[in-house]
Amino acid sequence: MVNVSGTGWMPQEARRSLRFEPARPRLLRCAFAEQPVVGVLNTLQVKTRHAASASLRIRQDGEDLFDGDIPPNAEIGIVPLTPAELVVSLTLEPGRVVHNFRVRPQVLAPEFSKIDVARQVFVGDSLPVVWEAQAATSVTLQIEDGDERSEHAGTSAGVFMLRPTRPGPILLRLVAQGPFATTVETRTVQVAAPVPRIEIEHPVQW
């Protein structure tokens, strides 16, 4: 996805008709406003002086994300598709002033917006584990209960019910998998033995 906006752009034909004296273009800025992020619209800022026209080419993984004319002063919105390096080439006219640079976009790992689980329960209680990580493609729940290990695959939002069968700690590990990065969160649940209740019947008085 590419968006282009700019100011001060006059086609070369119009400049020739006005008989402007050509001056060698100067590049004042050609850089992203912030470190580019995969899958997000990032703004490439281009600022020049004395440029009659400009052309821009942005490549990633051997394919063109953009290749065409732009205003000499412009903001271009670029969405990197992968963490692979972006190769940017800007050409200013007249004089064919070329500026090249490379930048590697960063990857944002998926974040959990919700993890709900009780910290302490009793043996035999129902223990719901609730999670939500919207940017994740999947979430895996890994359970360590003593020597027992189990794993359950789920979607980006879900609920899994546990029923502890013995006292002791249970380690829960939630793994949110994104397209290019992973986030891991852990929670520990203490399982206690139920307190026995002894009921003494009162003697019947006659």
Side-chain angles (χ1 to χ4, degrees):
M1 179 178 178
V2 177
N3 292 335
V4 179
S5 63
T7 58
W9 192 15
M10 182 179 294
Q12 284 184 307
E13 291 76 10
R15 290 181 179 271
R16 291 194 187 102
S17 66
L18 294 175
R19 296 182 180 178
F20 289 161
E21 287 294 329
R24 184 172 176 80
R26 288 180 56 197
L27 179 61
L28 304 180
R29 177 175 175 81
C30 180
F32 284 95
E34 298 179 356
Q35 176 73 18
V37 178
V38 174
V40 176
L41 187 67
N42 304 270
T43 301
L44 176 67
Q45 299 174 331
V46 176
K47 295 182 180 179
T48 68
R49 183 173 296 168
H50 307 308
S53 64
S55 61
L56 177 70
R57 188 181 190 189
I58 301 177
R59 293 176 60 80
Q60 186 179 47
D61 286 329
E63 297 185 0
D64 289 334
L65 296 184
F66 181 83
D67 187 8
D69 294 333
I70 63 169
N73 297 286
E75 291 189 346
I76 299 94
I78 300 292
V79 179
L81 304 179
T82 72
E85 191 175 55
L86 293 171
V87 181
V88 181
S89 179
L90 175 69
T91 303
L92 304 179
E93 297 290 355
R96 194 169 180 77
V97 177
V98 179
H99 174 70
N100 299 311
F101 74 95
R102 298 169 180 258
V103 61
R104 188 174 296 277
Q106 63 179 334
V107 175
L108 296 183
E111 296 183 356
F112 284 98
S113 57
K114 176 190 290 186
I115 297 179
D116 285 341
V117 60
R119 295 186 176 183
Q120 184 171 357
V121 295
F122 291 102
V123 172
D125 286 351
S126 294
L127 175 62
V129 182
V130 183
W131 68 84
E132 185 173 327
Q134 293 183 354
T137 55
S138 65
V139 172
T140 301
L141 174 63
Q142 300 172 350
I143 304 170
E144 297 183 11
D145 184 2
D147 295 332
E148 296 183 1
R149 304 287 189 274
S150 60
E151 187 172 292
H152 305 274
T155 59
S156 60
V159 180
F160 187 83
M161 297 298 297
L162 284 174
R163 189 177 293 274
T165 59
R166 58 187 177 187
I170 296 178
L171 178 65
L172 305 175
R173 184 177 294 108
L174 294 107
V175 182
Q177 181 66 55
F180 304 103
T182 300
T183 297
V184 179
E185 293 280 351
T186 59
R187 298 291 187 273
T188 300
V189 180
Q190 293 294 336
V191 181
V195 179
R197 297 180 60 186
I198 301 176
E199 295 185 359
I200 301 177
E201 295 185 358
H202 295 285
V204 178
Q205 296 182 355
W206 297 96

